[in-house]
Structures are given as C-alpha cells and as structure tokens.
Amino acid sequence: MSKPTTPAESAQLKDIVAHAKEYGFVFQSSEIYDGLAAVYDYGPNGVELKNNLKRLWWETMTQLHGNVVGIDAAIFMAPQTWEASGHVAGFNDPLIDNLDSKKRYRADVLIEEKAAEYENAGDPARGAALTAEMGRLLTANDLAGVRQLIIDEKILCPVSGTGNWTEVRQFNLMFSTQGSAVDSEAPPVYLRPETAQGIFVNFLNVQKSARMKIPFGIAQIGKAFRNEIVARQFIFRMREFEQMEMQFFVRPGTEGEWYDTWKAARRRFHEALGLPAAKLRFHDHDKLAHYAKAAVDIEYEFPFGFKEMEGIHSRGDFDLTQHQNLSRKKQQYFDNDLDPATGKPYGNYVPYVVETSVGADRLFLATLCEAFQEETITEGEGDAQTTKQRTFLKLHPAVAPIKAAIFPLVRKDGMPEKAQQIFDELRFDFRLVIEDKDAIGKRYTRQDLIGTPFCIVVDGQTLEDDTVTVRHRDTREQTRMPIGALRAYIGEAVSFKTVFAKL
Ligand code: GAP
C-alpha cells in the first residue's frame, strides 16, 4: 500500500518533470498540439539514459546467464494469441463514474487510496483489511460488491465531493486496429499489451534453434500498449511504454525455487544500479492476475510513494497450455534428465514459467528520481565565502548519457585543438562532448544538470606536459592526470562491470 503524496513530494516530482524537459530527457508527446495524454517522447539525453538502462538489463540477462537468450518479436500478433492468453476476456480495469462530476475512476484505485488514508492515519490493519476485501471481490468478479465497498467506505469523488456513483464496469485495456486493408470483416489486430506473449509463441522455435535445455530463459525488450484509464504521475503510467521481460522455463515442481531465485536476483540488480535498499521493497499481490499462481512486485519509493517498478510472476503452465489448446500445436519439451525417484527420464511436459517483467520507463523514472540532487555548497574562503544551490544528477556513471565533457579553458593557444585531439582519441570508447562556451563554472553546471560524471579541462599546463584536470561530478574534486591515463580511468568507472560485480 502506498502512502498518499505529500505537498513536498509533489513539488519534488514537479521539479523532476521540469528538469527532464529542460535538459532534454523527456518531452510530452506532440506538445505543440497540447500533447497526447499519457504518451511521452525521450529527448537527446533521455534516449541515451534509457538505452543504457536497456543495454544493462539485456547484458545482465543474456550475457551473465549462459542459459538466457534473447528475441525481438513483432508488436502485432495473431489475434488468437490474446484469446489464448486471456487478455480478450480478462485484461480489464474496473471503472466507475461519478454522475455529478462526470469523472471516471478506477474503482480499485479509489479503494487503494482509501486504504492508504487509513495507513497514514495510523491504522494499517484497517487499510490492509480493506485491500484484502477488494482483492477478494475482484477475484470473484463481484463488481456490485466493489461498488458497495466504495459506498460503505464513504468514498467521495474528489471533484464533485459526492458519492453519486454508477455501477462498476469492466473496461478492456487493449488497443486494437484494423487487421486487413482488403477484408473489412477480418478480426482486429491488437497492439500487444505485454511483450511476454511474443516469447511464449516462440518457445519451441527458440528452444530448438538455440538447442536450449530446461531450465532456460528468453529475454525481450519492446513496446507494449495499454489504454490506461488513470494515466498520471508522468512516465509512471503510460499508454505506450516499454517492457523488459524474461520468461524462465522450468521443470514443474521447481518453480518455487526459481521464483525465489529470480526475486532476489532482480532486487540485487536495482540495488547494484544505485537504488538504495531502504527505497525498495517487495509487495505480494493482493489480487493475482488471471495467469499467475504467485506474484510479487518490486516497489521503489517514488516521490509519490512506494509503487511497482517490476513484477515477478510464477505463471505455471498457463500460457503454453492455452496456446497449445487453441493452436492445436504441442508446446512440450522432452526432458531426458533422469528423475532420481524413478531412475527414468522426466520425459515430455509443458514447462512452467517464472517471469521477470520490468518497465523500462519506470526504471528510467526511478533512476532519474534517485539521481536528482539539490545541495547547498560553499565556495571561497574567509570573508569571500559564498553559498549557493547546486542541482545535479547523481547517475550511476555506467548509465549516464555522456561519460565525459572536454573543456578547453580558453578558445585559443591551441587548447581547442588539444580538446579535439582528446575527443578523437576517446570517441571509440565513450560518448563525449566538447564545450568551449562560457566560464568553466557554468560549463560544470551544465554537465552536472545532465549527470556527466567527468569534466576534463585542457589548460596551459596541458600544452606543456600533456596532463589534464578531471573534475568529479559528485565531489567536485579535481585530479590531474596524463591524457594517456584517461581511457583506463574513465573506462573503469563507466563500465557495466561495476554493476555486474554487485549482482
Ligand atoms: N507480462 C507481465 C506483465 O505485463 P505487468 O505487471 O502488467 O506484468 C509489468 O507489467 C511491468 O510493466 C510493470 O511492473 C511496470 O514496470 C510496467 N508497466 C505496466 N504498465 C505500464 C504503464 N501503463 N506504463 C508504464 N509502465 C508500465
């Protein structure tokens, strides 16, 4: 359960949203037309940060695990996919309208917010009982019961202030589009609401072509689409977003161990990236999705409270069995390992699946929120001492959009040429920029604001002895070193190995 947002927390989110726009991380989609709700574009620094996060996830999954391979499936899939997966029938949010304000809400969100109020008022037991009751009603698809719960709890519309509610209805979250240009009767094709199904339908293709032996995983990064009713909190809940999912296929009976293994491994990933342990927590689902036998969220404490960043789901053989039944194509694996109980091979079975599913955009948002730092710094000495505010992004150097900025101290005396020479020497290794405008202090500030870990200054001494100063973003300390040492120095700090070593 998440605590309600306090005014200070909203202000922090506002600052982060403004910062993301001003410094080229995230823009509202089609802003010149006043934007499209819950759709966002990534700017020049945003796309670098996001790509780095995606590459880090990809390599963590596929490079560090000899038994995990990747795929890139299409967004469009045969419409039967979504019947088999249960999304046509069951991928719904419960909606309720207030008759006075004409505003539409997610019934479960209204109840969760009420539960959070109880928790905040020092009565967490009452809050927990309320969410448990909601989970029970939703699992039973008792929508009249959900409405009654809203009325009994005296939940009022935040706009009209009344409890004049409609019935609760289910609303399917999938977007669909015309499947055929020539056949108007053709069934619609859906924009996939999760990437996972592209993995399930390719299970045998991958297993056979890559000669995978159970247990093994298939990883994928790609777009997913959901017609979210409550779209807010910036890029937290979008209609078009990206998922990084991994389906791990296991022998039935071993799924409990693998669930625990992946749960721990995924939490370690977030900590290794620099999200503090105290701002991460597990949250077992109150209401299981239609496919899940067990499910837990890894929540991060965003400025608007603890919220889901990643889901770990034990999906059993639900998806493969559903596809097997609808397609009439066997989705089985022959396991020739010997079962110690019988001394015979385990034989044919439909594997069970443990899934890890993290939103690239939510990981981006968590990373950005965590990195956003404001501090008061003191400059000068004695009477000349001044204090000022500094804002900087304390991004893990491995994911920072730009690894180093090179500053010629002045635009003359051969310094710009030397800066260019350093750029040319290092550009095969790192993403760099050369900045030669404004005073050095201003240039440092500009790089701090986008999270560049190192600023390399070319000065008079550089021309004499080929040394430069390297200024560190977090401490503002400067180290003098030979140009020849830069590659190894920066390389070590920005390497993914610094994250991998903590996994
Ligand atoms: N295949 C399982 C699945 O899709 P999910 O919990 O619905 O599970 C997984 O989604 C992750 O995808 C979430 O933990 C979240 O990070 C991300 N996600 C889901 N809906 C999202 C949305 N509307 N906007 C941004 N990210 C979203």
Side-chain angles (χ1 to χ4, degrees):
M1 203 186 307
S2 56
K3 62 182 194 300
T5 312
T6 66
E9 289 164 342
S10 323
Q12 199 203 356
L13 183 65
K14 261 191 179 167
D15 288 347
I16 291 167
V17 174
H19 191 96
K21 180 180 174 194
E22 183 155 1
Y23 299 103
F25 285 88
V26 181
F27 308 128
Q28 173 76 61
S29 158
S30 15
E31 195 188 10
I32 59 167
Y33 296 106
D34 297 331
L36 183 64
V39 187
Y40 290 88
D41 300 336
Y42 286 83
N45 288 317
V47 69
E48 295 292 340
L49 173 57
K50 193 176 180 201
N51 281 344
N52 289 340
L53 289 169
K54 290 196 291 186
R55 203 159 51 82
L56 184 65
W57 180 89
W58 186 259
E59 290 184 15
T60 300
M61 284 299 176
T62 62
Q63 188 174 312
L64 301 196
H65 298 100
N67 60 351
V68 178
V69 291
I71 62 163
D72 182 15
I75 287 172
F76 289 142
M77 301 182 70
Q80 299 95 311
T81 308
W82 306 110
E83 275 169 44
S85 70
H87 283 82
V88 171
F91 192 51
N92 302 316
D93 272 347
L95 279 190
I96 192 163
D97 291 67
N98 182 271
L99 289 164
D100 298 319
S101 67
K102 311 271 185 274
K103 292 278 174 203
R104 178 164 291 176
Y105 300 93
R106 260 179 64 178
D108 54 333
V109 171
L110 287 177
I111 296 170
E112 271 170 10
E113 284 173 355
K114 185 73 186 178
E117 254 177 49
Y118 287 134
E119 189 186 55
N120 211 35
D123 195 353
R126 191 162 176 198
L130 180 55
T131 26
E133 175 61 0
M134 176 186 76
R136 189 190 68 75
L137 292 166
L138 287 173
T139 306
N141 202 24
D142 181 354
L143 299 183
V146 173
R147 178 175 188 268
Q148 197 52 49
L149 195 58
I150 288 175
I151 290 165
D152 292 347
E153 287 292 331
K154 301 192 172 46
I155 297 174
L156 304 178
C157 166
V159 176
S160 68
T162 72
N164 196 4
W165 298 111
T166 61
E167 300 303 304
V168 176
R169 297 177 321 280
Q170 293 288 19
F171 174 80
N172 194 286
L173 299 184
M174 282 196 295
F175 284 104
S176 63
T177 185
Q178 189 66 41
S180 163
V182 284
D183 179 3
S184 56
E185 302 291 299
V189 289
Y190 296 102
L191 275 73
R192 65 181 177 196
E194 62 171 8
T195 57
Q197 296 305 322
I199 293 179
F200 287 121
V201 299
N202 277 300
F203 160 67
L204 282 179
N205 283 337
V206 174
Q207 188 270 316
K208 287 184 177 145
S209 62
R211 295 182 296 115
M212 303 306 287
K213 263 182 76 84
I214 270 179
F216 75 92
I218 306 178
Q220 172 166 226
I221 299 178
K223 290 268 181 164
F225 304 82
R226 296 182 189 178
N227 198 353
E228 299 283 1
I229 298 140
V230 181
R232 57 179 186 196
Q233 284 146 348
F234 193 34
I235 55 171
F236 181 81
R237 198 177 297 286
M238 299 197 284
R239 298 204 160 103
E240 174 181 341
F241 57 99
E242 248 178 310
Q243 287 186 317
M244 307 194 282
E245 299 203 295
M246 196 273 304
Q247 318 299 128
F248 199 70
F249 298 89
V250 305
R251 184 182 295 147
T254 64
E255 68 278 10
E257 287 161 47
W258 285 113
Y259 180 72
D260 292 340
T261 300
W262 281 110
K263 194 174 143 178
R266 292 305 305 147
R267 188 181 167 130
R268 277 199 303 278
F269 173 86
H270 299 298
E271 289 184 23
L273 187 55
L275 300 182
K279 291 175 86 173
L280 291 168
R281 71 179 189 192
F282 288 121
H283 175 248
D284 286 310
H285 282 204
D286 301 313
K287 176 190 179 250
L288 290 177
H290 59 273
Y291 53 74
K293 294 211 177 339
V296 66
D297 292 336
I298 299 177
E299 295 186 336
Y300 167 76
E301 191 174 20
F302 290 96
F304 40 87
F306 272 102
K307 296 273 177 192
E308 173 184 357
M309 182 167 59
E310 169 152 7
I312 322 287
H313 311 125
S314 185
R315 296 178 77 129
D317 60 358
F318 175 84
D319 304 84
L320 287 180
T321 302
Q322 288 288 101
H323 288 305
Q324 175 169 275
N325 292 344
L326 199 65
S327 68
R328 296 174 193 275
K329 311 252 166 45
K330 279 212 156 53
Q331 299 296 311
Q332 291 187 348
Y333 170 83
F334 185 78
D335 189 340
N336 51 22
D337 281 1
L338 297 183
D339 179 349
T342 63
K344 293 188 182 141
Y346 283 99
N348 271 314
Y349 55 78
V350 177
Y352 276 26
V353 170
V354 174
E355 165 185 75
T356 73
S357 175
V358 57
D361 313 273
R362 287 198 190 169
L363 181 60
F364 179 103
L365 183 58
T367 306
L368 193 63
C369 291
E370 199 52 47
F372 188 79
Q373 306 280 324
E374 286 174 313
E375 63 176 17
T376 307
I377 54 171
T378 318
E379 284 177 339
E381 285 186 5
D383 289 346
Q385 210 171 55
T386 53
T387 57
K388 67 172 192 182
Q389 279 293 111
R390 175 170 91 117
T391 302
F392 68 109
L393 293 187
K394 198 175 175 181
L395 291 168
H396 192 299
V399 296
I402 291 169
K403 304 306 184 198
I406 309 168
F407 303 163
L409 188 60
V410 288
R411 272 194 268 177
K412 56 182 184 180
D413 301 337
M415 289 184 208
E417 292 76 10
K418 196 74 188 171
Q420 186 63 48
Q421 190 188 323
I422 297 171
F423 181 93
D424 291 341
E425 274 174 32
L426 298 182
R427 74 194 163 117
F428 290 171
D429 300 275
F430 315 115
R431 198 168 150 65
L432 309 162
V433 286
I434 298 180
E435 277 242 40
D436 59 5
K437 289 197 187 62
D438 298 320
I440 284 286
K442 263 199 175 168
R443 289 186 246 173
Y444 284 148
T445 301
R446 275 204 292 270
Q447 295 304 319
D448 284 350
L449 290 165
I450 61 169
T452 306
F454 302 109
C455 293
I456 300 165
V457 180
V458 173
D459 55 17
Q461 195 180 328
T462 312
L463 307 176
E464 287 164 21
D465 64 5
D466 254 4
T467 62
V468 285
T469 59
V470 175
R471 186 261 197 185
H472 300 253
R473 177 196 65 200
D474 302 346
T475 58
R476 294 178 294 122
E477 275 165 15
Q478 297 180 20
T479 322
R480 187 133 210 131
M481 69 177 68
I483 290 173
L486 286 172
R487 177 175 289 114
Y489 188 78
I490 298 172
E492 199 180 311
V494 307
S495 168
F496 280 1
K497 281 189 208 159
T498 56
V499 177
F500 295 158
K502 293 186 183 154
L503 292 174

